[in-house]
Amino acid sequence: MDFILIAVIVLGGIGLIAALVLYVCSKRFAVYEDPRIGQVNELLPGANCGGCGFAGCGGMADALVKGADKGSLDGLNCPVGGSEVMSRVANLLGMAIANGDPKVAVVRCNGTCELRQKIATYDGMRSCAAMNACGAGETACGYGCLGCGDCVEACQFDAIHLNAKTGLPEVDEEKCTSCGACVKACPRGIIELRKKGPKGRRVFVACMSKDKGAVSIKACKASCIGCGKCVKECKFEAITLWQNLSYIDPNKCRLCRKCVEVCPTHAIRAVNFPAPPKAETQINGLQDQNIK
């Protein structure tokens, strides 16, 4: 009987000491989590796409709360949720947030199957990353779209598809959330997030070739040849020429489209602009015939 009593007392003592140790450790090493992080996380879309620059929505929520504590949410934006979600987050945190210009993914390559002929056949893993690692791909252009669809697989919102006729990816503006997943997936960097523009209108150079004009035009009939005509034509200094390639700054571009008119290879694209009136088109057609 004494042995049983002693065993109970010893075990009880050990349990009491262990409980005290656990209590002290829980207080000493406790990790406090701001309850607002969970509340903000619930407001975020939960896509975990990484478009915000963080590993997932949890990381974004933590950064938003820390930003609120510092008094600013500048530089923090959820491209999937957009201004509506960010407004809710700002209201929850008692902050004001500046509305950023909506963006959309654009494919800076106009080298369709007709304009960029195949010179080789790739017989390997159907992946842009794998094909790019092997060299220039199936065409002579070492800068254009490889057409394997890595961007399509990366998109969680079904916003980008390969056109079977042209072999190029096409972006559905209504579905695109500008998360940037397709941008990261493209090994040649031909996909760019640009301002969506008023009424969805924008002008950009649909080419990434840095080859000299003669080499570039031989590889693709719609490539930028670095002639600089667009640079001279632009009165807003929105176009720069570097390494034989023109680039249009969306922040300076006024959408006048004069650069589109002077580009000899039609490498500059104007998207979502209204078609010219039929009468004007017919007159231009007659003038072209007379010239011929």
Side-chain angles (χ1 to χ4, degrees):
M1 186 67 180
D2 292 339
F3 291 105
I4 296 176
L5 182 59
I6 292 172
V8 171
I9 293 173
V10 171
L11 291 175
I14 294 174
L16 180 61
I17 293 172
L20 289 172
V21 171
L22 290 174
Y23 176 78
V24 172
C25 290
S26 66
K27 294 298 182 181
R28 179 66 179 82
F29 301 105
V31 178
Y32 172 75
E33 181 174 306
D34 195 317
R36 294 176 298 171
I37 295 176
Q39 296 172 357
V40 171
N41 198 18
E42 290 180 1
L43 294 177
L44 296 176
N48 294 316
C49 61
C52 57
F54 297 92
C57 291
M60 177 63 168
D62 182 62
L64 286 167
V65 172
K66 289 180 179 177
D69 291 338
K70 294 178 181 179
S72 175
L73 297 181
D74 293 344
L76 298 173
N77 180 54
C78 174
V80 178
S83 58
E84 182 179 351
V85 168
M86 290 305 297
S87 296
R88 293 177 184 174
V89 171
N91 291 334
L92 174 66
L93 299 175
M95 300 290 294
I97 186 167
N99 292 325
D101 294 322
K103 294 184 177 182
V104 67
V106 297
V107 180
R108 293 189 56 199
C109 178
N110 201 28
T112 63
C113 297
E114 296 178 355
L115 300 175
R116 189 166 47 117
Q117 298 296 328
K118 285 187 176 182
I119 61 171
T121 299
Y122 172 75
D123 187 14
M125 183 187 301
R126 293 306 297 179
S127 163
C128 295
M131 186 184 292
N132 185 62
C134 294
E138 296 181 321
T139 69
C141 179
Y143 300 90
C145 177
L146 293 164
C148 293
D150 287 18
C151 53
V152 177
E153 294 181 6
C155 183
Q156 300 182 36
F157 307 98
D158 193 37
I160 187 167
H161 299 92
L162 285 177
N163 185 311
K165 185 177 180 180
T166 65
L168 296 174
E170 296 180 347
V171 178
D172 186 333
E173 297 181 18
E174 299 300 322
K175 294 182 179 180
C176 179
T177 62
S178 68
C179 68
C182 56
V183 178
K184 297 176 183 177
C186 180
R188 290 190 170 176
I190 69 165
I191 304 179
E192 177 188 3
L193 293 181
R194 291 180 70 89
K195 287 184 178 181
K196 201 167 187 177
K199 297 182 180 180
R201 298 172 184 174
R202 53 195 172 276
V203 179
F204 61 94
V205 180
C207 181
M208 292 295 291
S209 176
K210 296 180 177 64
D211 287 331
K212 291 184 177 180
V215 177
S216 182
I217 197 67
K218 186 177 180 180
C220 177
K221 296 178 181 178
S223 67
C224 174
I225 57 176
C227 64
K229 289 184 177 180
C230 54
V231 179
K232 296 176 181 178
E233 188 68 25
C234 182
K235 301 183 184 303
F236 307 103
E237 298 183 350
I239 308 178
T240 54
L241 181 63
W242 185 68
Q243 290 188 346
N244 306 309
L245 179 64
S246 294
Y247 180 78
I248 300 176
D249 187 342
N251 296 313
K252 296 181 179 179
C253 180
R254 296 295 180 269
L255 305 177
C256 67
R257 290 180 291 166
K258 291 185 178 180
C259 56
V260 180
E261 299 171 3
V262 300
C263 180
T265 61
H266 307 290
I268 303 178
R269 292 190 60 192
V271 181
N272 294 330
F273 286 87
K278 291 184 179 179
E280 181 180 343
T281 304
Q282 291 174 355
I283 292 173
N284 291 336
L286 291 174
Q287 289 177 343
D288 292 340
Q289 291 178 4
N290 291 333
I291 292 174
K292 293 178 180 179

